[in-house]
Amino acid sequence: MSEMNMAQALNDALAVALEADPRVVLIGEDVGTTGGVFRVTDGLQQRFGDERVIDTPVAESGIVGAAFGMAIAGMRPVAEIQFLGFSYPAYDQVVSHVGRIRNRSNHRFSAPMVIRIPFGGGIGAAEHHSEASEAMYAHTPGIKVVAPATPATAKGLLLAAIEDADPVVFLEPIRVYRAIKEEVPEGHYLTPIGRAEVVREGADATIVAYGAMVRDALKAADALAADSVAVEVVDLRTLSPIDAATVVASAVKTGRVVAVSEGHRTAGIASEIVAIVQEKALYSLLAPVARVTGWDTVVPLKRTEQHHIPSVGRIVAAVRRTLED
Amino acid sequence: MEPLRILDPSGRLVGEPPVDAAEVRRLFEAMVTARTYDRKSSALQRQGRLATYAPFEGQEAAQIGATAALRRDDWLVATYRDAAAMWMQGYTFEALFLGRMGDERGGSPPAGVGVLPPSITVGAHMIHAVGLAWGERLLGGDRIAMTFFGDGATSEGDFHEAMNFAGVFRIGTVFVCQNNGWAISMSRDRQTASATIAQKADAYGFPGVLVDGNDLLAMLAAARAAVERARAGKGPTLIEALTYRIGPHTTTDDPGRYRDEADVAEWSERDPLLRVRRYLQAAGEWSEDRERAVEEAAAAGIEEAVVRAEGLAPFGPGAAFDRMYARPTGALEEQRRLLLEGEAGQ
Ligand SMILES: Cc1ncc(C[n+]2csc(CCOP(=O)(O)OP(=O)(O)O)c2C)c(N)n1
């Protein structure tokens, strides 16, 4: 065990994978010499060489399309896109090809590959650098979408994503990269894809969150605990396929659910949680399921970003509303 | 291929100057102002008053030389690194600062200024310039469009689509690639295997010219020819400006990780301002006092722009909803209400 932030834990996972499996290659813009804009691939090209850690031209469609071909050929590529807002040129590859090849070829071909993308805001970055359009990817058939909230989960999930038989879009919450450190196990371990985690137990209400919003959900739970409200917090971890069983079990237990997502409101991940809970736990509910989300606006720039990302205050207020009913 | 050059690094004319020395002095003053803005912006970023900033020091001749060929009402579509070009075409320093401060009002130039907000995504905007010039032609006008981008941008698919459309439909677009040697950490030879970027135009059926991008006069001459061609309905031109970014990619970048600092020193010797200053000195059109006066006036004007930008009250909660559609949708009105209630409930 050693203390690591999320960027270090991801770097560690990539090193473990590169060490263990010669089919694993990293491919992306600036991943080699500089170690990526967030330094997640720092030192890996020096250690594994430039045929394993490949710096590419500035071409997202090229990166994902080439990784797709490599994956079909038998490699295990891990592609990096610098920010979610720059993944759109590659989205055509994801939706038109990566997600479809297994279906289209009736299992003859598959694309076991990972697309790592930093996502979410909260650091006052430039336009396109704070996107939370994860729902777009969760809406895409044939891929899996995961979003860790902590360093230890990030490492285990990334190793699981690399070993998965299908393509995984791996979303890394930008504002968590260096914000927290925790003990991260040495060597190889897997955090299963498709499983949510109850990260705080409580009997009065459930907050379902993922990525950077998990920390804010926990802060909201702390604030409510001061008023003797016991909040359960579920970290979704996988956005597609969603672990409905864990969410529903918590909903049945507490009867009150608040879904939190930084993504846009319409047709978002939070909407999906609301749908799942009302489909499968309606008769256990003591109040309407609430959503706290980013709005249906372009993510605002630095000066007004604070009105967009769900604040701890907004989460607390939403939980309180469910308690009033 | 030898790049087009009119002023050599010692400030000597090696070709026919496109303008007289008095006009060169006016453009030199614009370069001095642009550099003042650029250095001020980096300093403000270090003080935490601007978000990430992309400096353009070393690229003043490319931006100012090329835009000097435009008519006041021509279109310009540029990137995060092209503040000098945008300013030349009428964008204000205040708007540029606002954008860097993270305020959407920075994307809004004065009325009548045909400059789009700077493109942060690499590649996508070049095709917009094609559409702008095309639209103008369909409307019966003769406004043309100039677009700036880096060498890295030529790797994106959109670059090729833009060039191809412009070639096929003979659209009056002037493509200006500032080949500044780097795309973040990747050198130009990792973006393309072709010997020059200029030669790519050949494949799309229109002229490409290689220009010494640190030579103000060569840039102006090449851009004038391209603009005239475009306005005459003869189609696009690709200009490859060979230049160098002296500073980091952005204020969050550490170029020490990937480039040899000896190159920086070598390129500093080819500084575009130094070259014009030497030329003006020899022509008797320059004095230290005059340059200092220009610097001081620029610094004062830029300082005022900072004060205005910082003094503008930030948008309140809910204002983001107003900018999404001509009239906010029902969903947005509902969300505005939720936001305001939530903010009140905190
Ligand atoms: C579509 C897209 N991908 C990636 C990025 C991240 N990025 C910002 S600048 C840059 C390098 C661009 O290099 P170049 O086009 O040569 O322009 P320069 O920055 O050197 O002026 C990259 C990869 C981006 N902004 N947009």
Side-chain angles (χ1 to χ4, degrees):
Chain A
M1 292 279 224
S2 50
E3 283 254 310
M4 290 185 193
N5 64 31
M6 189 182 279
Q8 293 164 328
L10 290 165
N11 182 276
D12 189 33
L14 293 170
V16 168
L18 284 161
E19 187 73 59
D21 185 346
R23 298 172 306 166
V24 174
V25 292
L26 312 189
I27 178 166
E29 295 160 17
D30 306 288
V31 296
T33 333
T34 49
V37 288
F38 289 103
R39 306 276 178 262
V40 169
T41 53
D42 206 12
L44 297 176
Q45 189 182 64
Q46 288 84 331
R47 189 165 150 202
F48 295 97
D50 60 10
E51 299 217 317
R52 306 282 314 277
V53 181
I54 305 164
D55 272 321
T56 68
V58 184
E60 292 74 18
S61 182
I63 293 164
V64 171
F68 173 69
M70 285 183 183
I72 295 174
M75 298 293 289
R76 292 280 171 152
V78 181
E80 176 181 297
I81 302 296
Q82 295 188 332
F83 288 86
L84 192 55
F86 305 148
S87 74
Y88 307 134
Y91 182 66
D92 172 41
Q93 289 291 335
V94 177
V95 69
S96 304
H97 301 283
V98 175
R100 285 171 183 255
I101 189 65
R102 185 181 290 281
N103 176 66
R104 175 148 59 115
S105 69
N106 189 30
H107 281 288
R108 176 64 184 79
F109 300 113
S110 64
M113 59 189 280
V114 180
I115 308 173
R116 294 183 32 246
I117 322 177
F119 85 115
I123 59 165
E127 191 185 1
H128 308 284
H129 289 70
S130 305
E131 305 275 293
S133 46
E134 57 272 19
M136 233 173 70
Y137 287 93
H139 199 69
T140 303
I143 58 170
K144 298 178 181 176
V145 183
V146 301
T150 71
T153 313
K155 180 178 170 185
L157 263 184
L158 183 51
L159 285 166
I162 293 169
E163 292 172 28
D164 201 279
D166 284 303
V168 179
V169 170
F170 191 93
L171 300 172
E172 302 168 7
I174 289 172
R175 72 174 176 280
V176 181
Y177 271 136
R178 299 199 143 67
I180 45 170
K181 281 196 163 199
E182 69 177 1
E183 293 290 327
V184 173
E186 308 278 342
H188 180 272
Y189 68 95
L190 299 176
T191 303
I193 292 176
R195 202 148 335 131
E197 203 61 36
V198 176
V199 292
R200 178 186 176 118
E201 303 250 4
D204 298 332
T206 300
I207 302 175
V208 181
Y210 58 92
M213 293 315 307
V214 172
R215 283 178 74 213
D216 297 299
L218 290 168
K219 283 181 199 155
D222 280 341
L224 287 154
D227 287 348
S228 307
V229 178
V231 175
E232 182 146 301
V233 177
V234 176
D235 173 2
L236 217 46
R237 293 187 175 175
T238 300
L239 312 185
S240 176
I242 284 178
D243 176 1
T246 300
V247 172
V248 169
S250 185
V252 168
K253 174 178 166 188
T254 65
R256 297 180 168 91
V257 179
V258 175
V260 180
S261 165
E262 197 175 314
H264 305 293
R265 193 169 181 85
T266 295
I269 302 291
S271 320
E272 187 59 29
I273 297 298
V274 175
I276 288 170
V277 171
Q278 90 85 34
E279 271 177 1
K280 304 200 168 162
L282 182 66
Y283 298 112
S284 306
L285 292 179
L286 303 169
V289 187
R291 280 184 290 177
V292 186
T293 67
W295 311 114
D296 292 344
T297 64
V298 172
V299 180
L301 299 179
K302 183 178 168 152
R303 274 185 159 188
T304 39
E305 195 185 6
Q306 76 275 17
H307 303 305
H308 182 78
I309 300 174
S311 61
V312 173
R314 265 168 67 195
I315 302 171
V316 168
V319 174
R320 284 197 200 287
R321 275 199 303 279
T322 67
L323 290 161
E324 282 162 14
D325 284 286
Chain B
M1 214 201 299
E2 272 302 303
L4 174 70
R5 178 175 290 158
I6 292 175
L7 258 191
D8 77 6
S10 67
R12 231 167 20 96
L13 284 178
V14 292
E16 195 57 43
V19 285
D20 65 16
E23 176 64 6
V24 175
R25 195 177 66 197
R26 193 185 69 81
L27 293 174
F28 176 69
E29 291 173 1
M31 292 167 89
V32 170
T33 305
R35 181 160 293 181
T36 308
Y37 163 83
D38 188 58
R39 291 191 172 167
K40 175 80 180 177
S41 297
S42 290
L44 289 172
Q45 198 285 331
R46 280 192 297 275
Q47 295 162 22
R49 289 158 72 189
L50 293 189
T52 310
Y53 177 71
F56 58 79
E57 179 161 341
Q59 303 183 211
E60 292 90 345
Q63 295 188 29
I64 288 170
T67 43
L70 290 175
R71 209 166 66 192
R72 222 42 196 150
D73 62 343
D74 284 332
W75 288 99
L76 176 68
V77 194
T79 82
Y80 49 83
R81 201 183 303 287
D82 305 321
M86 293 173 68
W87 168 71
M88 277 289 283
Q89 198 59 6
Y91 224 81
T92 63
F93 285 130
E94 181 180 348
L96 288 163
F97 281 128
L98 273 171
R100 295 287 96 210
M101 285 168 185
D103 190 308
E104 281 78 1
R105 283 166 287 194
S108 180
V113 171
V115 181
L116 300 198
S119 180
I120 309 288
T121 58
V122 168
H125 67 287
M126 299 172 235
I127 190 74
H128 307 161
V130 176
L132 284 163
W134 198 351
E136 292 293 345
R137 188 171 84 190
L138 294 172
L139 289 167
D142 70 345
R143 294 169 78 186
I144 57 113
M146 181 178 278
T147 180
F148 284 84
F149 49 96
D151 43 305
T154 68
S155 299
E156 294 276 7
D158 282 336
F159 165 74
H160 302 278
E161 299 191 16
M163 298 274 285
N164 197 39
F165 268 56
V168 167
F169 298 104
R170 292 167 70 93
I171 308 295
T173 320
V174 181
F175 295 95
V176 183
C177 177
Q178 292 178 86
N179 172 2
N180 66 6
W182 296 94
I184 310 188
S185 73
M186 300 312 290
S187 54
R188 207 250 23 172
D189 59 343
R190 293 299 303 268
Q191 299 301 330
T192 176
S194 61
T196 68
I197 287 164
Q199 76 194 57
K200 289 177 190 286
D202 215 34
Y204 295 101
F206 56 86
V209 265
L210 188 64
V211 182
D212 179 336
N214 284 18
D215 176 351
L216 177 77
L217 300 187
M219 282 304 298
L220 177 55
R224 275 204 175 162
V227 166
E228 274 166 28
R229 213 181 103 80
R231 206 167 324 271
K234 293 186 184 145
T237 306
L238 169 63
I239 295 172
E240 176 181 1
L242 285 170
T243 182
Y244 196 79
R245 85 168 135 77
I246 295 295
H249 168 72
T250 66
T251 43
T252 59
D253 172 51
D254 169 15
R257 280 179 167 249
Y258 52 83
R259 73 178 183 189
D260 185 350
E261 290 307 301
D263 291 350
V264 182
E266 201 186 310
W267 276 96
S268 297
E269 247 318 290
R270 290 182 237 169
D271 183 283
L273 269 66
L274 191 60
R275 191 178 302 194
V276 183
R277 186 184 296 121
R278 284 172 175 158
Y279 165 75
L280 289 173
Q281 255 165 345
E285 284 283 346
W286 181 87
S287 83
E288 203 169 311
D289 287 349
R290 174 135 190 165
E291 183 165 339
R292 199 167 323 109
V294 171
E295 264 170 13
E296 280 166 11
I302 287 163
E303 186 57 43
E304 269 175 46
V306 175
V307 168
R308 281 197 303 274
E310 287 186 334
L312 201 60
F315 288 117
F321 301 104
D322 299 331
R323 291 191 297 275
M324 295 310 303
Y325 301 95
R327 288 213 318 262
T329 61
L332 286 177
E333 293 294 9
E334 160 82 1
Q335 290 174 27
R336 183 204 307 269
R337 190 181 57 73
L338 287 170
L339 171 64
L340 296 179
E341 273 173 12
E343 303 255 326
Q346 265 177 58

